[in-house]
Amino acid sequence: MTKIRVLVLILVFQFINNTSKANNGYELWMGYEKITNKNLFVKYQTLFSVIYLPQNSQDETIAILKKELQLASKKMIEQSPRFVNQVSEAQIIFEINKAQNKINEEGYDIQTSINAQQKTQIKIQAKTNIGLLYGCFELLRLVQLQIDPSQIHTTSSPALSLRILNHWDNINRSVERGYAGISIFNWHTLPDYKDKRYTDYARANASIGINGTVVTNVNANALFLTHDYLVKVKALADIFRPYGIKVYLTARFSAPIEIGKLKTADPLNEEVKNWWKQKANEIYSLIPDFGGFLVKANSEGQPGPQNYNRSHAEGANMMAEAVAPHKGIVIWRAFVYSNEQPEDRAKQAYSEFKPLDGKFNKNVLVQIKNGPIDFQPREPFHPLFGALPNTPVMMEFQITQEYLGQATHLVYQGPMFKEILESNVDASKKVIDVVENKINGLSGISGVANIGNDINWCGHPFAQANWYAFGRLAWNPRLSASQIANEWIQQTWTQDKNVLATIQDIMMSSYENMVNYMTPLGLHHIMGNGHHYGPMPWGNTLSRADWNPVYYHRSDSLGIGFNRVATGSNAISQYEAWVQNKWSDSSTCNEKYLLWFHHVSWNHRMKNGNSLWNELCYKYNEGVKGVAQMNSQWKSVATQINAEGYDQVKQLLDIQLKDAEWWRDACLLYFQTFSKQPFPLHYPKAKFDLPYYQSLNFPYAPGNGK
Amino acid sequence: MTKIRVLVLILVFQFINNTSKANNGYELWMGYEKITNKNLFVKYQTLFSVIYLPQNSQDETIAILKKELQLASKKMIEQSPRFVNQVSEAQIIFEINKAQNKINEEGYDIQTSINAQQKTQIKIQAKTNIGLLYGCFELLRLVQLQIDPSQIHTTSSPALSLRILNHWDNINRSVERGYAGISIFNWHTLPDYKDKRYTDYARANASIGINGTVVTNVNANALFLTHDYLVKVKALADIFRPYGIKVYLTARFSAPIEIGKLKTADPLNEEVKNWWKQKANEIYSLIPDFGGFLVKANSEGQPGPQNYNRSHAEGANMMAEAVAPHKGIVIWRAFVYSNEQPEDRAKQAYSEFKPLDGKFNKNVLVQIKNGPIDFQPREPFHPLFGALPNTPVMMEFQITQEYLGQATHLVYQGPMFKEILESNVDASKKVIDVVENKINGLSGISGVANIGNDINWCGHPFAQANWYAFGRLAWNPRLSASQIANEWIQQTWTQDKNVLATIQDIMMSSYENMVNYMTPLGLHHIMGNGHHYGPMPWGNTLSRADWNPVYYHRSDSLGIGFNRVATGSNAISQYEAWVQNKWSDSSTCNEKYLLWFHHVSWNHRMKNGNSLWNELCYKYNEGVKGVAQMNSQWKSVATQINAEGYDQVKQLLDIQLKDAEWWRDACLLYFQTFSKQPFPLHYPKAKFDLPYYQSLNFPYAPGNGK
C-alpha cells in the first residue's frame, strides 16, 4: 500500500506544482506555497492537525483567523485542520490571556512546548482577538520561513500605536502619484457593492500589522464628508473592522463653506466649531470607531487656518475638539511651504512648526515627511524629528515611487526607510527613538500607499515588497531591511536558498543604484515637471521657483549644490549641533549629502581623491552598472521561479536599464555645460545629445491625477 | 489495482474541484473546466491523445494553436497531447487545404470520421493558419459544450469580413463610457513593457473570431499619430498579428494642423493630402498590415471636412487615398447631428449620408449605429440600413452599457443585437441581409468595447457575455441569442443542465426587463445628464436641446411621445414604405416603438385595453418584477456555482433591483405630473417623493472620461 500512497501523493503534488506556476501577483505575500522541505512538511502536518480557538464563534475576527488557518494549511501542507473545544486535545492553541504582561493590547506571545506525551504544542496568547489574529499571521509567516516547530518562540507587540496607510485616492478613482491603475475604492458602486478586493486589502494589511487607513487624498474633496459618501465610507469601515483596521478621512479645511453653507471656515468661529462637532457626531454615529482626520492645510493651494490668520495649532485643535469626545484623533501634516516665502523650502516646515510645540491638543499628531523636501531618492532626515519634544509626531514615508522610478523601476525601499530611522538626531538618539517615543500615549507612522486596481495591486511585482516592508517596520522599526526582504522573498518567489540569496541581493542593492543613476551625492528634485518621471535638471519654467529643478541643484560655472550652511540658507542650523558638526564642513560632510548642504566647486576633492565632476560621472555610471548587474542576476534565476513573474520583471528591468542610462546621459550632458570638463576616459558615450534629451516630453505620464 | 486508481483519481479530482471554486473572472470563457461527464471525459482523452499540426513550427499562429490545445487538454481532460509528424498516427489532424471550396480564407471545416481501425479521427481543414486557429477554438468550444466526438461536423466561414472592437480609450487611460476600470492599454509603459494582458486580450478575441481592434477613442487625440505613439501601437500590432487581429486607429481630422504644423486640414488641399499620405507611409512602414482609420467627423465637436465646406465623402476619400496603396480602409462614422440644425436628431444622419451614396472611394465603409439616436435601451433600426445600396456599411453596436445600467446591471445584449439584425428593412430584406451584403468586397460590424483593467475585464461578470455574444454574432449573425447564451454559460458557470437553464432564463429575460424599468413603450434618452446613469426624465438644463430628456419624451398635459410621423418630424419617412405601414398609425404601431414615433394621449387605448398611462405603470412595474424574478432565480443556484462569482452577481442584482425601483418610481412620479392620473390599484407606492429623486446628484458617476 505504501508504494501506492506515494503514487497518489506524487500525482497530487505534480498537479499542484503545475498550477502554482500561474502567478499573477494578486495573492501578494499570502500565496502560501506548498512547503518543499519534506521533513518540515510532515512536522507541520502534525502540528496543524488539531487546533483550539477561543469559543466565541460569532466573533468576526476569530472567524477570519479560522479561515486563514484553513486556507494556509490546505495550500502549504495540503490538509484541513480539525478545530476542537478542548485545549488538551489541540496542538495549536489560541488563547486570550488578559494577564499576559509581556505584551500590549495588540501584541502576541507564541511559545512551543513539548507536553507529557512528547507532543509539540504551540500556544498563541494575546489580550485581544486582534492580537490573536496578528499572532496567527506571525505563525503562518514562520511556517513559510520554514522554521522548525520546536524553534518557534516569539513575543511581540507593535512599537507604534498608529500604523497607517495614506491613500492619495481621488473621488473619481484617479490616484495622485499612483502607478498601479486606479483606486481600489470604487465610490460609485459603494456602499452596495462590496468588492472582494476590500476584504483582501484588509487581510493583507492585517497580516503585516497595519491598523489604519486614510482612504482619501490629502488634497481633499469636501464631498467625502457629505452623508452620501459617509455611508460609503461606513461600508468600508465595516469590512475593515474585524481586521483591526480603523478608517480615517482627510478633512478639507474649507468644508464648512463648501458643503456646510457657512460663510467662513475660521477655526475660532463658533459656527465653524459647531459644524465640525456636528459633522464628527454624524460620522461617529455611522462609524463608532472612526479613526479621525488627516489634514493638509495651507500647503500647495490647500485651504487652512492661515487663511484666517490662525495658526496650524488653532486649526488642528478646533478639529481635535470635535473628535475628542469620540476618542478620535487629528493628524496634521507638517508638509508646508510657500512660494511667497523667500526662505529655503527645506526650512519652512521647521520654521512653522517648531514654535508650535506643546500648543496642540492631546489628540493631535504632527505628521512629518522623512526628509525636509519631498520624498526624494535620498534626503537627510527631517529636522523636525527631535525638535518637537512636547508633540506626538508621526513619520510619513512614501511607499508609492513618485520620485523613485514609479512602477517601472525595481527599488526596494527597506534600506531607505532604515537609513532615515537609524539616523542620529543627536549623539544619543535616533529618529527611530523619536518616532517610538509615545507622547500623550500616541506614536505612529504613515505610508503613502502604492496600491491600485492592477491585478497585482502595486504595478511592479517588487513594489509589493515596499508595502510589506512598510508594514513590518511599522510594527517593529528595529527589523533590518535585509531580514524583511528575506521574509518577503520566501513568501513570494522561492524557498530555494541560492535563488533567495540572488533576489535578496538584487533588492538590497537596488536603492543605492537608483540614488546613483538619479541623484547621487545629495542632488535632489531634478525630475521632470509635474509627473516627476525621468531627468529634467534643466527645468526652469514652472510658476513657482521651488518647483523647478534649477532651484535645487544651483549649477553654475563654479560648481554645483545648494548651500544650506551658514554662508547660505543655513537650513543646517535646524539640526542639533552634533548633526551640524557632521555635515557643515564640505570637506568632511558625509558625501551622500554633500550637494544637499553645500555648493562646491567642480574640482572639489572627494575623499577618494576624485574631483567632484569625475565623482559625479563615476556615481551616475555606477548606478547604471548596478542596474545591469541586477538584470544579469535576474536572468540567472530565470528557470527557477514562476515564468509569468520572471517575464514581467525581466521586461521592467530592461526598461530600468534604459532609463538609468537616460538619467546618466541627460544629467551629465547638462551638468557638463557648467563644468566644461570632459567625461572620464573609457566611460560610455551618451547615446544622444543634450537637445534630444531636452526635447523629450511626456504629456500623459501617469500619477498626476489627471 | 482498479480501486486504488479510482482513489487516485478521486483525490486528484477533489483538489481540482476545490481550486476551481476560486473564480475571479480573468479567464473569461476560456476557463476550460474539467469535463464532468465521465463517458465523454474518456472519449476526449482518447481523441486528444495524439495530434498532428502543420509542420511550420516557426509560425507563431501554429505555436499559439498548439499551446491552446495543451492548456485546454490539461484542464478539461487532465492529459497532455502528443504531437506527431505523421497524419496517419494522429487522432486530431490540423491541415491547410487551399482547395477546400466550402470555406473562405478565414473559415474552417471540421469533420469526424471513423478510420479502418475503428478509430475516431477529427480533421480540421482551413486555407490559412488563422483559419486553423479559429477551427481549434471551435473544436475546444464543442468539447466544452460536451458534444460527442462522433457528432462533430461543422463547416464555417465568417459572414462579415470586418469584425472589430472599438475602444473608446483615451491617451491617459480613462475610458469614455467605460465601467470596468481604466484602459488595458498602458501607453506609458508601451512599447517596452508588454503586459500579459495584451496577449490574453488577443487570445480571447481570436477565440470568438474578432479580427480587428480600434485601440483609440473616436473622440480622437492627434498625438496617437505621432511617431512616439505609433511605435507603441506597433508593439500592440506585433502581439495581435498571430491571433489574426489587425490594429486600427482613430484619426483626428485636424491632425495635420495639430501635429503636422499645417495651417489647414482642408481635405482638398494638396499639402493636407500629402501629409496624410506621408503619415500613412510612416504607419505602414511600422505596421505593414495596419487596418486603417476610424473617423468621427463633424459630430459632437469633433473637427471634420465640413469645417472647410467639404462633404463627408470628400473627407473620407482623401484619407482613403492615403491608405489605399497599402490596402488600408477608412471607416467613416454616420453618427452626426448638429444642435444648430433644427431637424429632429433622429433624422440627421440619414439626411446627411443618403445623398452621398456611391460617392465614397472603394475602400471606405460607413459605420452606422444600430439605431438613429444613440444606443438607447431600445431603438428601431437605423433608417440608413438599406438606404445606401452603393456603399459598404458597417453595423456599430455598443457593448459597453452606457445607457443600459453600466456595470451594475445584468443585461444580456444578445436579444437586443438580434432584434436589430432581424428587423425587416422592407418586405423581403432584413438588416442582417444589408450588413452581410459585401460591397466592394467589404462588410463588417463594430462593437464599442466594454473592456477595462478590472480583474474580470468587464466589471459585471455577465458583461463578459456581451463581448462574447458580439464576437459570435460578428462571425455568424444568424446564431440565436439563446444559443450563444447557452454556449457562454457552459464555458463559464456550469455544465449542469438545470443550473444552465436557470441562468439562461435570467439572461434571456434581462434585456426586456431593463427596457421595461428604464424606457418602455418607445421612450428614450431620459437618463441622467452626461453620465447617463439613472433616471432624469425632467432633465432640461443642458446647452443643447437634443441632449435634454424633455426633447425626447415631450410629455405634456395631453400626452407623451415624439411625433415622428407626417404630422410631426416625419422621421418615419426615412424608412421604406413597408416599414412605414407598420409603424405610422398609432393604433396599429408595434407598441414597443409607440412613443418613439407618436405623441399619444394619456388615455390612448393600448391593444390589451389598458390606457396608455396604466400601461406605462404596468410596464415599469413589470420591469421591476422581472428583476426580482432574476434575483430569486439567481438565489436558487447559489450552492451550485462558484461562490465568488455567485456573491458578486448577487450583490449586483440587489443593486439592480433597487435601481429598477428607482427608475420606476422617479419616472412615473414625474410623468404623473402631466398625466394627472392615479397609479393603478395595488401597485407599489414610491418610496420617496419626486423632489427627492430630482435632488439626487452623481457628480462622479463613471464613464464620462473625466
Side-chain angles (χ1 to χ4, degrees):
Chain A
M1 205 42 194
T2 307
K3 270 189 189 165
I4 291 150
R5 278 175 58 196
V6 169
L7 174 71
V8 174
L9 285 173
I10 289 172
L11 280 169
V12 173
F13 290 6
Q14 274 185 334
F15 185 81
I16 296 161
N17 278 329
N18 286 333
T19 52
S20 74
K21 294 288 177 192
N23 187 343
N24 63 17
Y26 183 81
E27 292 181 323
L28 297 161
W29 46 86
M30 294 171 297
Y32 298 124
E33 286 289 304
K34 189 171 74 79
I35 300 302
T36 51
N37 178 316
K38 284 173 192 177
N39 179 24
L40 285 174
F41 186 90
V42 174
K43 284 191 190 179
Y44 291 136
Q45 279 200 325
T46 308
L47 190 64
F48 278 78
S49 57
V50 190
I51 301 178
Y52 172 86
L53 294 180
Q55 300 304 298
N56 40 358
S57 65
Q58 294 309 299
D59 183 82
E60 285 187 77
T61 302
I62 298 298
I64 286 164
L65 192 164
K66 184 172 178 182
K67 211 171 145 192
E68 199 69 28
L69 289 168
Q70 287 169 320
L71 175 74
S73 299
K74 188 164 147 192
K75 296 188 81 175
M76 296 196 296
I77 49 171
E78 291 156 7
Q79 74 178 14
S80 291
R82 190 158 58 88
F83 294 91
V84 293
N85 294 326
Q86 295 293 327
V87 171
S88 59
E89 292 176 35
Q91 298 201 265
I92 300 181
I93 298 142
F94 286 88
E95 193 174 75
I96 294 289
N97 180 357
K98 303 251 181 216
Q100 241 297 0
N101 57 10
K102 293 189 286 181
I103 55 174
N104 69 21
E105 287 297 302
E106 293 178 297
Y108 52 80
D109 179 61
I110 306 181
Q111 300 298 338
T112 298
S113 61
I114 313 284
N115 75 358
Q117 291 77 43
Q118 294 300 309
K119 207 161 75 174
T120 301
Q121 278 188 317
I122 294 194
K123 187 177 276 189
I124 296 102
Q125 291 193 327
K127 297 189 179 189
T128 60
N129 287 340
I130 294 300
L132 288 181
L133 182 61
Y134 289 145
C136 168
F137 279 117
E138 172 71 9
L139 176 65
L140 295 175
R141 182 158 43 235
L142 296 172
V143 173
Q144 289 175 91
L145 302 184
Q146 309 203 39
I147 309 297
D148 191 281
S150 65
Q151 302 305 309
I152 292 181
H153 300 278
T154 170
T155 305
S156 186
S157 295
L160 310 174
S161 48
L162 302 168
R163 308 177 298 279
I164 302 184
L165 285 181
N166 289 186
H167 286 268
W168 288 359
D169 292 14
N170 296 316
I171 204 163
N172 67 355
R173 293 187 72 186
S174 66
V175 179
E176 189 168 326
R177 312 311 175 183
Y179 313 102
I182 52 175
S183 175
I184 59 170
F185 304 120
N186 186 337
W187 298 107
H188 180 64
T189 56
L190 279 168
D192 295 312
Y193 186 69
K194 296 172 184 77
D195 195 328
K196 179 169 176 292
R197 204 153 193 159
Y198 304 145
T199 307
D200 290 330
Y201 164 83
R203 188 173 145 243
N205 281 328
S207 78
I208 50 176
I210 289 170
N211 69 355
T213 178
V214 188
V215 295
T216 55
N217 192 356
V218 288
N219 290 321
N221 189 325
L223 279 183
F224 276 118
L225 299 177
T226 60
H227 189 77
D228 283 357
Y229 278 89
L230 290 175
V231 170
K232 297 168 189 274
V233 176
K234 172 194 162 50
L236 290 178
D238 290 342
I239 294 168
F240 298 166
R241 186 171 299 111
Y243 292 89
I245 296 166
K246 285 186 179 180
V247 164
Y248 298 75
L249 289 173
T250 50
R252 182 146 166 105
F253 201 80
S254 50
I257 301 170
E258 291 163 13
I259 61 168
K261 296 181 183 166
L262 300 189
K263 294 225 169 77
T264 178
D266 182 345
L268 301 194
N269 176 291
E270 287 304 318
E271 276 189 306
V272 172
K273 286 185 190 181
N274 195 47
W275 187 88
W276 282 106
K277 278 181 189 157
Q278 294 307 316
K279 187 49 73 179
N281 293 344
E282 180 187 356
I283 296 174
Y284 281 91
S285 74
L286 292 166
I287 309 167
D289 60 349
F290 178 68
F293 295 126
L294 170 65
V295 187
K296 173 176 181 176
N298 294 119
S299 175
E300 300 182 317
Q302 291 296 306
Q306 295 180 336
N307 299 30
Y308 307 95
N309 295 315
R310 313 297 184 193
S311 74
H312 282 289
E314 287 169 314
N317 292 343
M318 177 274 293
M319 284 193 190
E321 276 173 38
V323 295
H326 311 283
K327 303 193 176 151
I329 59 169
V330 168
I331 304 171
W332 199 268
R333 290 176 93 230
F335 178 67
V336 298
Y337 66 102
S338 152
N339 190 38
E340 294 69 43
Q341 180 70 263
E343 192 180 42
D344 175 7
R345 173 170 163 187
K347 293 177 71 175
Q348 296 186 33
Y350 180 100
S351 305
E352 193 85 61
F353 280 84
K354 173 72 181 157
L356 298 176
D357 186 32
K359 300 202 170 145
F360 291 98
N361 285 12
K362 285 189 190 271
N363 59 336
V364 177
L365 296 101
V366 172
Q367 179 165 300
I368 307 163
K369 288 189 182 184
N370 57 287
I373 296 290
D374 188 15
F375 300 134
Q376 294 305 296
R378 170 167 280 143
E379 300 194 33
F381 70 91
H382 200 295
L384 275 174
F385 289 109
L388 302 174
N390 304 302
T391 306
V393 299
M394 282 180 83
M395 169 67 76
E396 179 176 325
F397 283 128
Q398 189 182 44
I399 311 171
T400 188
Q401 295 171 228
E402 174 179 357
Y403 295 95
L404 275 56
Q406 304 185 353
T408 48
H409 292 204
L410 191 168
V411 179
Y412 171 53
Q413 295 172 312
M416 181 177 82
F417 297 157
K418 284 301 284 185
E419 181 172 297
I420 294 293
L421 289 168
E422 299 287 346
S423 295
N424 274 67
V425 303
D426 61 29
S428 62
K429 201 162 56 185
K430 294 177 169 182
V431 170
I432 204 169
D433 300 311
V434 174
V435 173
E436 283 185 354
N437 180 34
K438 286 195 175 64
I439 295 176
N440 308 328
L442 294 171
S443 65
I445 189 165
S446 281
V448 181
N450 63 352
I451 296 163
N453 79 329
D454 272 3
I455 292 176
N456 76 355
W457 301 84
C458 299
H460 198 303
F462 275 79
Q464 296 184 351
N466 294 328
W467 177 8
Y468 183 83
F470 169 77
R472 294 290 285 146
L473 286 172
W475 183 277
N476 180 4
R478 315 253 163 195
L479 288 175
S480 77
S482 105
Q483 180 191 326
I484 294 170
N486 181 305
E487 281 180 10
W488 179 76
I489 298 164
Q490 290 199 62
Q491 292 170 82
T492 49
W493 292 103
T494 188
Q495 295 172 24
D496 176 284
K497 283 200 177 125
N498 293 324
V499 179
L500 166 64
T502 303
I503 298 178
Q504 196 172 0
D505 197 48
I506 291 171
M507 288 173 72
M508 290 304 293
S509 70
S510 64
Y511 173 61
E512 202 66 32
N513 288 335
M514 181 273 299
V515 171
N516 282 339
Y517 65 71
M518 283 190 188
T519 55
L521 300 174
L523 286 172
H524 51 287
H525 217 307
I526 56 175
M527 291 76 182
N529 287 341
H531 50 65
H532 303 149
Y533 175 74
M536 194 193 261
W538 50 83
N540 195 19
T541 54
L542 294 182
S543 59
R544 292 177 60 151
D546 55 4
W547 283 349
N548 281 312
V550 300
Y551 174 91
Y552 295 99
H553 64 73
R554 309 207 162 194
S555 294
D556 55 29
S557 60
L558 300 175
I560 179 172
F562 199 128
N563 182 351
R564 292 195 169 110
V565 293
T567 55
S569 80
N570 206 18
I572 202 166
S573 67
Q574 295 179 338
Y575 292 93
E576 291 289 325
W578 187 90
V579 174
Q580 290 187 43
N581 279 338
K582 291 204 321 179
W583 296 339
S584 60
D585 180 339
S586 67
S587 63
T588 56
C589 175
N590 186 335
E591 289 179 347
K592 63 186 180 183
Y593 303 130
L594 182 64
L595 305 181
W596 187 280
F597 287 112
H598 301 279
H599 187 76
V600 298
S601 142
W602 295 108
N603 295 316
H604 171 90
R605 190 61 48 193
M606 304 296 290
K607 288 170 187 164
N608 63 5
N610 277 347
S611 71
L612 174 74
W613 168 250
N614 278 0
E615 183 71 3
L616 199 64
C617 295
Y618 170 77
K619 283 287 186 189
Y620 269 110
N621 211 45
E622 278 298 293
V624 174
K625 280 163 69 180
V627 177
Q629 166 77 0
M630 286 160 62
N631 217 312
S632 63
Q633 285 177 298
W634 188 250
K635 278 189 218 161
S636 77
V637 301
T639 58
Q640 298 169 80
I641 53 178
N642 87 75
E644 183 176 343
Y646 172 78
D647 183 56
Q648 278 185 300
V649 174
K650 179 70 187 68
Q651 291 190 58
L652 292 165
L653 283 170
D654 286 341
I655 293 176
Q656 188 170 1
L657 183 56
K658 235 166 79 170
D659 283 1
E661 290 168 346
W662 169 33
W663 266 97
R664 175 193 63 194
D665 297 342
C667 289
L668 290 179
L669 285 173
Y670 169 74
F671 290 132
Q672 194 184 37
T673 64
F674 300 98
S675 80
K676 313 277 189 202
Q677 298 193 24
F679 292 116
L681 276 176
H682 313 305
Y683 271 40
K685 206 172 163 297
K687 217 167 172 179
F688 303 98
D689 61 8
L690 182 57
Y692 168 80
Y693 293 115
Q694 292 178 318
S695 77
L696 295 176
N697 188 15
F698 304 91
Y700 293 99
N704 261 343
K706 281 174 198 162
Chain B
M1 214 28 201
T2 308
K3 269 189 191 163
I4 292 151
R5 279 176 58 196
V6 168
L7 173 70
V8 173
L9 286 173
I10 288 171
L11 281 169
V12 174
F13 288 6
Q14 273 184 335
F15 186 81
I16 297 162
N17 277 330
N18 286 334
T19 52
S20 74
K21 295 288 178 192
N23 186 344
N24 63 16
Y26 184 82
E27 293 182 321
L28 296 162
W29 45 87
M30 295 172 297
Y32 297 126
E33 286 287 305
K34 189 170 73 79
I35 300 301
T36 49
N37 178 317
K38 285 172 193 176
N39 179 25
L40 285 174
F41 187 89
V42 174
K43 285 191 188 179
Y44 291 137
Q45 278 199 323
T46 309
L47 190 64
F48 279 77
S49 58
V50 192
I51 301 178
Y52 172 86
L53 294 180
Q55 298 303 299
N56 38 359
S57 64
Q58 294 308 301
D59 183 84
E60 286 187 76
T61 302
I62 298 298
I64 286 163
L65 192 164
K66 186 173 175 180
K67 211 171 144 191
E68 199 69 29
L69 289 168
Q70 287 169 320
L71 174 74
S73 299
K74 189 162 145 195
K75 297 187 79 174
M76 294 194 299
I77 49 172
E78 291 156 7
Q79 73 178 18
S80 292
R82 189 159 58 88
F83 292 92
V84 293
N85 295 325
Q86 295 292 327
V87 169
S88 60
E89 291 176 35
Q91 297 200 269
I92 299 180
I93 299 142
F94 285 88
E95 192 175 74
I96 295 288
N97 181 356
K98 304 250 183 217
Q100 241 298 4
N101 58 11
K102 290 188 286 182
I103 55 174
N104 70 21
E105 287 298 300
E106 293 178 296
Y108 52 79
D109 178 61
I110 306 179
Q111 299 299 337
T112 299
S113 62
I114 313 285
N115 74 358
Q117 291 77 42
Q118 293 301 310
K119 205 162 75 173
T120 301
Q121 278 187 316
I122 292 193
K123 186 177 276 188
I124 297 101
Q125 292 195 326
K127 297 188 176 190
T128 60
N129 288 341
I130 294 300
L132 288 182
L133 182 60
Y134 289 146
C136 168
F137 279 117
E138 172 71 10
L139 177 64
L140 295 176
R141 183 159 41 235
L142 295 173
V143 173
Q144 289 176 92
L145 301 184
Q146 308 205 42
I147 309 297
D148 190 280
S150 66
Q151 302 307 308
I152 293 180
H153 301 278
T154 168
T155 304
S156 186
S157 295
L160 310 174
S161 47
L162 303 168
R163 306 176 301 278
I164 302 184
L165 285 181
N166 290 187
H167 286 268
W168 288 359
D169 291 14
N170 296 316
I171 205 163
N172 67 355
R173 294 186 73 188
S174 65
V175 179
E176 188 168 328
R177 312 309 176 186
Y179 313 102
I182 53 175
S183 176
I184 59 169
F185 304 121
N186 186 337
W187 298 106
H188 180 64
T189 56
L190 278 168
D192 295 312
Y193 186 69
K194 296 172 184 76
D195 194 329
K196 179 168 177 290
R197 202 151 196 162
Y198 304 145
T199 307
D200 290 330
Y201 165 82
R203 187 173 147 245
N205 281 328
S207 78
I208 50 176
I210 289 170
N211 69 354
T213 177
V214 187
V215 294
T216 54
N217 191 356
V218 289
N219 290 321
N221 187 324
L223 279 183
F224 277 118
L225 299 176
T226 61
H227 189 77
D228 283 358
Y229 278 89
L230 290 175
V231 170
K232 297 168 189 275
V233 175
K234 171 193 160 54
L236 290 179
D238 290 344
I239 294 168
F240 298 165
R241 186 172 299 111
Y243 292 89
I245 295 166
K246 285 186 179 180
V247 164
Y248 299 73
L249 289 173
T250 49
R252 179 141 166 112
F253 201 80
S254 50
I257 301 169
E258 291 162 13
I259 62 168
K261 298 182 182 165
L262 300 188
K263 296 227 169 77
T264 177
D266 181 346
L268 301 193
N269 177 290
E270 287 304 317
E271 278 189 305
V272 171
K273 286 186 191 181
N274 195 47
W275 187 88
W276 283 105
K277 278 181 187 156
Q278 296 305 318
K279 187 49 73 184
N281 293 345
E282 181 189 355
I283 296 173
Y284 281 93
S285 74
L286 292 166
I287 309 167
D289 60 347
F290 177 69
F293 294 127
L294 170 65
V295 187
K296 172 177 181 176
N298 294 119
S299 174
E300 299 185 316
Q302 291 296 303
Q306 294 180 336
N307 299 29
Y308 307 95
N309 294 313
R310 314 299 183 191
S311 74
H312 282 288
E314 287 169 315
N317 292 342
M318 178 273 293
M319 286 194 188
E321 276 174 38
V323 296
H326 310 282
K327 303 195 176 150
I329 59 168
V330 168
I331 304 170
W332 199 267
R333 289 176 93 230
F335 178 66
V336 297
Y337 66 101
S338 151
N339 189 38
E340 294 69 43
Q341 181 70 263
E343 193 180 40
D344 175 6
R345 174 171 163 186
K347 293 178 72 176
Q348 295 186 34
Y350 180 100
S351 303
E352 194 85 61
F353 280 85
K354 173 70 182 162
L356 299 174
D357 186 34
K359 299 200 171 148
F360 291 98
N361 284 12
K362 283 187 193 265
N363 60 335
V364 177
L365 295 100
V366 171
Q367 180 165 302
I368 307 162
K369 288 188 180 183
N370 58 286
I373 296 289
D374 189 15
F375 300 136
Q376 294 306 297
R378 170 166 280 144
E379 302 194 31
F381 71 91
H382 199 296
L384 275 173
F385 289 109
L388 303 173
N390 304 301
T391 307
V393 299
M394 282 180 84
M395 170 66 75
E396 179 176 325
F397 283 128
Q398 189 181 46
I399 310 171
T400 189
Q401 294 171 230
E402 174 179 355
Y403 296 95
L404 273 59
Q406 306 185 353
T408 45
H409 292 203
L410 191 168
V411 179
Y412 172 53
Q413 294 172 312
M416 181 178 80
F417 297 156
K418 285 299 285 185
E419 179 172 297
I420 295 293
L421 289 166
E422 299 286 348
S423 295
N424 274 67
V425 303
D426 61 28
S428 62
K429 203 162 53 183
K430 293 176 169 183
V431 171
I432 203 168
D433 301 309
V434 174
V435 174
E436 283 186 353
N437 181 35
K438 285 193 175 66
I439 294 175
N440 307 328
L442 295 170
S443 65
I445 189 165
S446 281
V448 180
N450 63 351
I451 296 165
N453 80 329
D454 272 3
I455 293 177
N456 77 357
W457 302 83
C458 299
H460 198 303
F462 275 79
Q464 297 184 351
N466 294 327
W467 178 7
Y468 183 84
F470 170 77
R472 295 289 287 147
L473 286 172
W475 183 278
N476 180 5
R478 314 252 164 198
L479 288 175
S480 76
S482 103
Q483 182 191 326
I484 294 171
N486 182 305
E487 282 181 10
W488 179 77
I489 298 164
Q490 290 200 59
Q491 292 171 82
T492 49
W493 291 101
T494 189
Q495 295 172 23
D496 177 283
K497 284 203 177 123
N498 293 326
V499 179
L500 166 63
T502 303
I503 299 179
Q504 194 171 2
D505 197 46
I506 291 172
M507 289 173 73
M508 291 304 292
S509 70
S510 64
Y511 173 61
E512 202 65 32
N513 287 336
M514 181 271 301
V515 171
N516 282 340
Y517 65 71
M518 283 190 187
T519 55
L521 300 176
L523 285 173
H524 50 288
H525 217 308
I526 55 175
M527 291 78 181
N529 286 340
H531 50 64
H532 302 148
Y533 175 75
M536 194 193 261
W538 48 84
N540 194 19
T541 56
L542 294 181
S543 59
R544 291 178 61 154
D546 55 6
W547 283 349
N548 281 313
V550 298
Y551 173 91
Y552 295 99
H553 65 71
R554 310 207 161 195
S555 294
D556 56 28
S557 61
L558 299 176
I560 179 171
F562 198 130
N563 181 353
R564 290 193 169 109
V565 293
T567 54
S569 80
N570 207 18
I572 202 166
S573 68
Q574 295 179 338
Y575 292 94
E576 291 289 325
W578 188 88
V579 174
Q580 292 187 42
N581 278 337
K582 290 205 319 179
W583 296 340
S584 59
D585 181 340
S586 67
S587 64
T588 57
C589 176
N590 186 333
E591 288 177 348
K592 64 187 179 182
Y593 303 131
L594 181 63
L595 305 181
W596 187 281
F597 287 111
H598 301 279
H599 188 77
V600 297
S601 142
W602 294 108
N603 296 316
H604 171 90
R605 190 61 48 194
M606 303 298 289
K607 287 169 189 167
N608 63 6
N610 278 346
S611 71
L612 174 73
W613 168 250
N614 279 358
E615 183 71 2
L616 198 65
C617 296
Y618 170 78
K619 284 285 184 187
Y620 271 110
N621 211 45
E622 277 298 292
V624 174
K625 281 164 68 181
V627 177
Q629 166 76 0
M630 287 160 61
N631 218 313
S632 63
Q633 285 177 297
W634 188 250
K635 279 190 218 162
S636 77
V637 301
T639 58
Q640 296 165 271
I641 53 177
N642 86 76
E644 182 176 346
Y646 170 79
D647 183 56
Q648 278 186 299
V649 174
K650 177 69 186 71
Q651 290 191 56
L652 291 165
L653 282 170
D654 286 342
I655 294 177
Q656 187 169 1
L657 182 56
K658 233 165 81 170
D659 283 2
E661 289 168 345
W662 169 32
W663 266 97
R664 175 193 63 195
D665 296 341
C667 289
L668 289 180
L669 284 173
Y670 169 73
F671 290 132
Q672 192 183 39
T673 65
F674 299 98
S675 79
K676 314 276 188 201
Q677 298 193 22
F679 292 117
L681 275 178
H682 313 306
Y683 272 38
K685 208 173 162 295
K687 214 165 173 182
F688 302 97
D689 62 9
L690 182 58
Y692 169 80
Y693 293 114
Q694 290 178 321
S695 77
L696 295 176
N697 188 15
F698 305 91
Y700 293 98
N704 261 344
K706 281 179 201 158

